Amino acid sequence: MKTLYQNTIKLILFALLTVSLQSCIKQPGSWRNDQIPGGKRDDFHKLNEQLLHDLRSSNSDDISNMESQEMLQDKSNLRQIELVGNAAKTTDYDIYDEYYIVNKHRNTDTVGNLSAGINSYKMVYNGITHEMYIALLLPKDKNLPNQEMITAMYAKYDYGWKLTSLSVNTYKINGRTAPELYTLGKEKYDKQHFADARLTLELALQCTAPNDYWQYQHDSDAGKLFQDAAEATVKQYRFPVIIDDVAGQPRVFRIGNQKNSHGWFPVIYYTTKVNIADTNAVKSENMQIGKVINKLLPGITEDKDYIFYSACSKLPLSSARVEHFDMTDKLR
């Protein structure tokens, strides 16, 4: 009975909150951050706080009470809610940008922040109802190298303000947004550090869309430059590349990006003639590789905190397991 009573109280409080948001209908337009009328903005913030609380506590019943009928009917949203909940449990989130919108069009409308320099963006979305609210949430800890954006979209129905979509996606990698990573990748490409440029542009492509509506205003064609860098890398190196400066001539056959708690960094896969079981010998050879890898792949260790290596007993040409030994080199 106690639990039932508590749930009833919560439902009543939520109903009162949604009712309080019914007033103040405006002419078509959009209001961002402190442009949103104070009382209405406070109520929206309470919705966000309730959402984050329920996500952290994995309270599916309370989250369901916040969802629109259409969102509840789409079972694919269960997975999205799980993913957003996982992100909400890892760190505290705060509002980055928020929009109260009275839609002019039924189909497509646009809001955005065009005063953020290289990170200026717009969002193109469907006007589901006449009044909507969008909250973009980022980690409170701005020093986190990898940051995910939570996007909560609410719409006002005849039965109250309800969630109409919820998502999470990558916003920053290694402390940089997609346009910032693109700029860095272009600098590396212009220096003809093609392999390093390719890896940087690959990271840029991972965070070009923090949500399904997002478009960067200064979003140069990172995809095309990535393809150019990849083709230049293949043409320049023709993998596998022999490391002539190391006895035994290990061969680099692949490069990629790998994640740890500090960010994303290069990983170098190579074949070695050293017995993989003799880990001390593998480490000794790897130390020699570390001394010359930046000469072989210019820029690969520059501005990096770590570089990863995977020494393999042979070239993996099939699905069969290949013996390997993985190492991490802390550069700074």
Side-chain angles (χ1 to χ4, degrees), residues 16 42 90 140 144 169 210 214 232 278 291 328:
L16 290 173
D42 291 342
T90 60
K140 287 184 179 180
L144 287 176
N169 214 338
W214 191 280
D278 188 349
K291 294 177 182 178
T328 301

Side-chain angles (χ1 to χ4, degrees), residues 69 97 104 135 182 188 214 282 305 308 321 326:
Q69 293 173 2
D97 266 340
K104 182 178 181 180
Y182 171 83
K188 295 173 183 290
W214 191 280
V282 175
D305 292 335
F308 304 107
R321 185 180 180 279
D326 299 334

Side-chain angles (χ1 to χ4, degrees), residues 1-8:
M1 292 297 292
K2 184 178 180 181
T3 302
L4 179 61
Y5 179 74
Q6 289 176 338
N7 288 339
T8 302

Side-chain angles (χ1 to χ4, degrees), residues 1 149 196 222 227 239 244 246 261 270 312:
M1 292 297 292
M149 175 180 285
D196 194 30
Q227 190 63 38
F239 291 96
D244 290 317
V246 175
S261 60
Y270 64 93
C312 302

Side-chain angles (χ1 to χ4, degrees), residues 20-264:
S20 71
L21 283 163
Q22 301 297 316
S23 58
C24 259
I25 295 178
K26 295 179 176 292
Q27 294 300 312
S30 64
W31 293 262
R32 174 173 165 260
N33 297 345
D34 55 7
Q35 297 173 348
I36 301 172
K40 187 175 284 290
R41 191 184 189 193
D42 291 342
D43 288 337
F44 285 138
H45 288 183
K46 290 176 185 176
L47 284 178
N48 292 329
E49 290 166 7
Q50 183 66 51
L51 175 64
L52 288 172
H53 175 271
D54 293 342
L55 287 167
R56 293 191 190 104
S57 61
S58 301
N59 196 327
S60 57
D61 289 339
D62 284 349
I63 293 173
S64 295
N65 291 331
M66 299 186 72
E67 295 178 67
S68 68
Q69 293 173 2
E70 291 83 359
M71 189 172 176
L72 282 168
Q73 290 167 3
D74 185 351
K75 298 307 178 184
S76 66
N77 285 313
L78 293 174
R79 177 57 178 162
Q80 277 299 317
I81 291 170
E82 180 184 2
L83 293 173
V84 178
N86 291 340
K89 291 170 187 173
T90 60
T91 187
D92 290 331
Y93 274 78
D94 205 356
I95 292 174
Y96 168 64
D97 266 340
E98 57 183 333
Y99 298 88
Y100 166 57
I101 309 152
V102 179
N103 289 305
K104 182 178 181 180
H105 304 290
R106 186 69 183 183
N107 295 324
T108 302
D109 239 318
T110 304
V111 294
N113 179 3
L114 304 182
S115 61
I118 193 174
N119 292 316
S120 295
Y121 69 91
K122 63 179 180 180
M123 290 189 293
V124 182
Y125 64 96
N126 287 331
I128 298 170
T129 62
H130 188 53
E131 288 185 79
M132 297 178 66
Y133 169 72
I134 302 173
L136 308 176
L137 309 172
L138 287 176
K140 287 184 179 180
D141 184 356
K142 305 308 177 187
N143 294 319
L144 287 176
N146 302 317
Q147 298 181 21
E148 293 185 309
M149 175 180 285
I150 293 175
T151 301
M153 181 178 285
Y154 303 82
K156 193 183 84 169
Y157 297 87
D158 56 8
Y159 51 92
W161 281 89
K162 298 290 182 179
L163 267 176
T164 186
S165 72
L166 186 65
S167 66
V168 61
N169 214 338
T170 306
Y171 177 68
K172 278 188 178 183
I173 292 178
N174 294 349
R176 289 184 169 94
T177 62
E180 292 166 350
L181 285 165
Y182 171 83
T183 300
L184 181 61
K186 189 175 185 305
E187 291 173 0
K188 295 173 183 290
Y189 183 86
D190 291 342
K191 290 192 294 186
Q192 298 189 345
H193 293 180
F194 297 129
D196 194 30
R198 197 214 87 185
L199 295 179
T200 301
L201 292 163
E202 183 179 280
L203 297 178
L205 293 175
Q206 289 186 38
C207 52
T208 53
N211 59 47
D212 291 342
Y213 324 104
W214 191 280
Q215 296 177 17
Y216 277 111
Q217 289 294 94
H218 302 280
D219 186 12
S220 300
D221 197 347
K224 183 180 184 306
L225 189 58
F226 167 78
Q227 190 63 38
D228 291 344
E231 291 174 359
T233 300
V234 171
K235 182 177 180 181
Q236 184 174 21
Y237 297 108
R238 299 188 182 279
F239 291 96
V241 184
I242 300 174
I243 308 178
D244 290 317
D245 295 335
V246 175
Q249 296 187 320
R251 299 186 175 203
V252 175
F253 64 87
R254 192 198 320 160
I255 61 172
N257 287 302
Q258 185 170 304
K259 184 181 181 182
N260 67 7
S261 60
H262 301 280
W264 288 81

